[in-house]
Amino acid sequence: MKMDIFQRIENAARPDFGDILSKSFELFQKLFKEAVMHGLVSLLVLIPFFIVVYVPILPMYMEMLQHAGDPYYSPSALDDYSIAFIIGWVILVFIMSFILQVVSMSIAVHFYKVTKNTDMGTQDATGGYFDLLKSNFGKLMMLSLATFGIAVLAALACYLPIFYVMVPLQLVVPILAFNEKLGVSDIIKAAFKLGNKYWLIAFGLIWLSSLIAQLGIILCGIGIIFTAYFVHVVVYYFYKDSVGFDDTEDVI
């Protein structure tokens, strides 16, 4: 019987914390090359962002480094920047951050599809890293705006709600990856519905896998490329072991 995403969430099995972690380590070994490739692509996307955002304020940053530790230092480099420049720079940072989020979401969706193929031994089409930008740019843009807005509102509410929304926000991408015909509002609703059902398990998995992923920083920082996508493998198994997959189209 064909069920939509909300029915599958309603009938979702309770994920096993230890089992998911164990399977994630095993699958990550098989996906290591793909994880590194996706990490490198994400890094290449970051480079233009850093250039555009940080080069204009490099003189001020260098001056601050030279006077680090001086309690009487007052940044004189600020005098070189007009109010119009500062406002323009802030707007540029916002736009670039948004573009970065949209592109990163497309890369993550591709990784989830590759992860499913590797895990289940299937040969489903995964497309390229940026294919979703071409076919569903509008949806990616609206999802990015929605998730950004939710995160900002949570942060403004004394930061405590950010711990709550971090679980649904992490589930947005896998739900998009495996239910591409869903609309933006349905993806957000499904993410919160699934996140609410097993919030504590998901939070623990995301928190622990994030710590493990950060171990790459030990290797002079660049090692994060090798471990960053471990979080996605854990979230993939959380989704698979709870909601599972429906090879038919979702009924909306």
Side-chain angles (χ1 to χ4, degrees), residues 72-104:
Y72 303 104
Y73 166 66
S74 178
S76 60
L78 282 173
D79 299 333
D80 299 330
Y81 299 104
S82 65
I83 296 297
F85 174 87
I86 295 174
I87 293 174
W89 182 80
V90 171
I91 294 173
L92 177 63
V93 170
F94 175 80
I95 294 174
M96 291 295 294
S97 299
F98 178 69
I99 293 174
L100 181 64
Q101 184 179 358
V102 172
V103 176
S104 298

Side-chain angles (χ1 to χ4, degrees), residues 15-29 201-202 204-213 230-231 233-235 237-238 241:
D16 184 281
F17 189 97
D19 185 52
I20 287 178
L21 277 182
S22 177
K23 291 188 296 186
S24 296
F25 281 116
E26 293 177 9
L27 183 58
F28 189 70
Q29 293 177 37
I201 296 175
L205 286 169
I206 293 169
W207 179 77
L208 184 57
S209 60
S210 296
L211 286 181
I212 295 172
F230 177 71
V231 177
V233 178
V234 173
V235 175
Y237 268 124
F238 174 81
D241 289 1

